[in-house]
Amino acid sequence: NLYNYVRFPAGVIKQIRKAHKANIDIQKYIEEGYDEEQLEQIRMALTNGIHIDPYISKELRGISIFEIRLGLEKGLDVEVYANEEYDWRQMREIRLGMESRIQYTKYANPLYSYGQMREIRLGLESGLDVRNYCSLMYPTETMRKRRRKLLAEETYIPQEVDFEGTKTDDFQLSISDTGM
């Protein structure tokens, strides 16, 4: 009987119906004023037997609660990123770093944009020394260029090439008379 809930938006009523079908009680979250997206993530966590209460608040968007739920499902210490200082994209970068078992603490700082966090995470996952670019003063694009340059230097394997244009190991180097 959904008569008592007609004052709520359709999305909230939908989550009430789904929770009832799954035998999950989301009443306290409804009374606290969580919206449809938030309720969906809470319902999914409760359905999977995940105790999400200590990590969520009404101020977090549904997509942020999604990142917290994913982290909890994977057994991660979401306390590192489950707070309002981070937006959902920053939360995702920290979660991905935790999943990859890299030193996510190098970028778990709310002052970094999610793009900066991503570049540092990708560098760490590639085994690069990110100290050359993991400063707050560098915008995302600068970090990306520095990471790619480091990656190119790390993966460059010199090939033996004779300078008259002979092909060696699938690479060909030719030098014209003008030096090109």
Side-chain angles (χ1 to χ4, degrees):
N1 181 2
L2 296 174
Y3 181 75
N4 293 333
Y5 302 105
V6 294
R7 69 184 187 279
F8 292 107
V12 171
I13 294 172
K14 177 181 175 183
Q15 293 306 316
I16 293 169
R17 182 182 58 77
K18 286 184 170 189
H20 180 72
K21 281 179 77 174
N23 220 12
I24 301 293
D25 183 15
I26 60 169
Q27 186 62 39
K28 79 174 191 176
Y29 305 102
I30 294 165
E31 290 171 3
E32 290 176 17
Y34 285 90
D35 67 26
E36 174 191 2
E37 289 178 357
Q38 294 167 318
L39 288 172
E40 180 178 22
Q41 296 306 318
I42 293 167
R43 178 185 56 77
M44 292 173 76
L46 295 174
T47 300
N48 293 332
I50 295 170
H51 185 61
I52 198 166
D53 284 5
Y55 309 105
I56 62 170
S57 69
K58 275 187 352 188
E59 287 71 34
L60 292 173
R61 295 180 51 209
I63 191 79
S64 295
I65 296 174
F66 169 77
E67 290 298 330
I68 294 167
R69 180 178 63 81
L70 279 181
L72 288 169
E73 286 176 355
K74 295 177 184 220
L76 304 176
D77 178 14
V78 299
E79 210 166 305
V80 172
Y81 65 84
N83 63 60
E84 298 158 21
E85 291 181 318
Y86 296 111
D87 71 22
W88 70 270
R89 293 171 295 198
Q90 291 170 309
M91 289 181 177
R92 179 187 61 207
E93 293 304 324
I94 295 169
R95 178 182 58 77
L96 291 172
M98 293 173 99
E99 287 177 19
S100 297
R101 302 192 187 284
I102 59 168
Q103 239 183 329
Y104 62 87
T105 54
K106 289 191 182 255
Y107 63 89
N109 179 340
L111 297 177
Y112 281 121
S113 72
Y114 78 92
Q116 290 171 311
M117 287 179 161
R118 181 178 185 273
E119 294 305 319
I120 296 169
R121 177 181 61 80
L122 291 173
L124 290 169
E125 287 176 351
S126 298
L128 299 176
D129 181 3
V130 298
R131 288 179 294 181
N132 293 323
Y133 68 87
C134 75
S135 170
L136 286 167
M137 69 181 234
Y138 296 126
T140 302
E141 189 56 36
T142 302
M143 286 184 166
R144 181 175 297 117
K145 287 176 183 173
R146 287 183 175 212
R147 178 181 61 81
R148 287 180 175 167
K149 182 179 179 200
L150 284 170
L151 192 58
E153 290 170 0
E154 290 280 323
T155 59
Y156 174 71
I157 300 169
Q159 300 291 321
E160 277 193 36
V161 177
D162 113 7
F163 288 92
E164 296 181 22
T166 305
K167 188 173 177 180
T168 305
D169 291 334
D170 293 338
F171 290 94
Q172 183 173 0
L173 177 63
S174 300
I175 302 174
S176 71
D177 294 338
T178 62
M180 297 296 284

